[in-house]
Amino acid sequence: MSVKERILHSLLFEAIALCILMVAAKLFTTHNASVVGGVAIVLSLLAMAWNYVYNLGFDRVFGQDRLSRKVGMRIAHGIGFEAGLLIVTIPLLMWVLQMDFWTVLILDLGIVIFFLVYSIIYNWAYDQVRSKITTRATAI
């Protein structure tokens, strides 16, 4: 993928995730919507930067043929991404939400589980749509 496409990939991923998380936060938390929204945006920006760096490295190590990646590879990709992100998000959430480590860890693990499933589905769908678009473009 080109730099522009990697940026588009990240922006779409985060925009869809933000919409889902804002609805979930409204339904399941008592925190002020502006606090949750601000935290979500900061986490989104961190995740986008990490997504770019992580996927660039992952593609260099495991190759550019994204369509041939099996379920196991996609699961490993998602776990590696989320593990790296946890290192930054736990202290940030503890500070902003004024919660203890264990509460934030449980909250963050819930978010990780969501994103693990979401990232596998999103990346598979993105690769499928991208393949159809590039196939059509080369056929024309």
Side-chain angles (χ1 to χ4, degrees), residues 73-116:
M73 173 73 73
R74 292 186 181 276
I75 290 170
H77 174 267
I79 289 170
F81 175 83
E82 294 301 335
L85 200 56
L86 273 174
I87 294 168
V88 175
T89 58
I90 288 176
L92 179 66
L93 288 171
M94 286 174 63
W95 176 62
V96 173
L97 299 176
Q98 295 297 298
M99 294 178 162
D100 65 280
F101 174 79
W102 295 109
T103 303
V104 169
L105 179 63
I106 291 167
L107 172 69
D108 219 3
L109 288 175
I111 293 169
V112 165
I113 291 167
F114 161 76
F115 271 104
L116 179 59

Side-chain angles (χ1 to χ4, degrees), residues 3 22 25 34 39-40 48 51-52 55 61 74 77-79 89 94 102 117 121 136 138:
V3 171
M22 290 305 295
S34 63
V39 169
M48 280 192 286
N51 184 37
Y52 180 82
N55 284 317
V61 171
R74 292 186 181 276
H77 174 267
I79 289 170
T89 58
M94 286 174 63
W102 295 109
V117 173
I121 293 168
R136 285 186 189 149
T138 56

Side-chain angles (χ1 to χ4, degrees), residues 7-131:
I7 292 169
L8 173 66
H9 178 268
S10 290
L11 287 173
L12 286 173
F13 181 91
E14 293 301 326
I16 294 167
L18 267 174
C19 291
I20 294 168
L21 287 177
M22 290 305 295
V23 170
K26 184 76 173 158
L27 293 172
F28 300 115
T29 70
T30 59
H31 282 74
N32 182 317
S34 63
V35 171
V36 173
V39 169
I41 289 170
V42 169
L43 292 177
S44 177
L45 292 171
L46 286 169
M48 280 192 286
W50 175 237
N51 184 37
Y52 180 82
V53 171
Y54 181 78
N55 284 317
L56 188 63
F58 197 88
D59 286 351
R60 284 190 180 153
V61 171
F62 295 103
Q64 299 288 327
D65 186 11
R66 297 168 57 99
L67 288 176
S68 69
R69 293 180 184 168
K70 304 291 183 219
V71 172
M73 173 73 73
R74 292 186 181 276
I75 290 170
H77 174 267
I79 289 170
F81 175 83
E82 294 301 335
L85 200 56
L86 273 174
I87 294 168
V88 175
T89 58
I90 288 176
L92 179 66
L93 288 171
M94 286 174 63
W95 176 62
V96 173
L97 299 176
Q98 295 297 298
M99 294 178 162
D100 65 280
F101 174 79
W102 295 109
T103 303
V104 169
L105 179 63
I106 291 167
L107 172 69
D108 219 3
L109 288 175
I111 293 169
V112 165
I113 291 167
F114 161 76
F115 271 104
L116 179 59
V117 173
Y118 171 68
S119 68
I120 292 165
I121 293 168
Y122 174 84
N123 283 301
W124 174 82
Y126 185 92
D127 292 346
Q128 297 302 311
V129 170
R130 181 181 186 270
S131 175

